[in-house]
Amino acid sequence: MIKHDLDNFEFSYLNEEGIKAGKLRYRYIKDNVIDAYTTKVDEAFQGKGIAGELYAALIAFAQERGLKIKPSCSYVEVKMRRNHQNLIA
């Protein structure tokens, strides 16, 4: 399950037991531009598509709010260049 903490600018992935298995953090650099600067998945949970789910949540959030994304995180940058170039700030 993805949880979006708007106050701390973080998307978290919680597994069935409620353990935080991964996170994607961002910050606002302009009113309509966010900097996605880190994506981390706990080693024990890697290879399960968690980073992709966090990325999808980020993209949905940006599209809903009309935001552009500066992809400082290398994972986010690669995914955006392949799939969402129109959202790159």
Side-chain angles (χ1 to χ4, degrees):
M1 171 181 82
I2 301 291
K3 179 181 172 226
H4 188 186
D5 182 344
L6 285 162
D7 294 330
N8 292 306
F9 312 113
E10 180 178 285
F11 292 94
S12 300
Y13 181 94
L14 304 174
N15 72 1
E16 302 80 31
E17 291 84 39
I19 296 169
K20 186 192 278 190
K23 66 182 177 183
L24 188 155
R25 303 209 64 211
Y26 64 92
R27 60 185 154 238
Y28 279 86
I29 53 177
K30 292 183 183 172
D31 286 345
N32 65 336
V33 180
I34 56 175
D35 174 18
Y37 64 91
T38 188
T39 305
K40 293 193 184 217
V41 176
D42 187 284
E43 214 174 289
F45 298 97
Q46 290 181 358
K48 299 178 188 297
I50 292 171
E53 289 191 45
L54 292 165
Y55 173 80
L58 171 73
I59 294 300
F61 171 69
Q63 289 173 329
E64 287 167 12
R65 300 275 175 112
L67 301 172
K68 293 284 187 179
I69 301 170
K70 176 185 174 195
S72 293
C73 168
S74 59
Y75 175 81
V76 173
E77 181 179 13
V78 168
K79 295 279 280 183
M80 288 191 75
R81 293 210 182 279
R82 283 188 200 143
N83 305 302
H84 297 99
Q85 289 185 10
N86 61 316
L87 295 178
I88 295 176

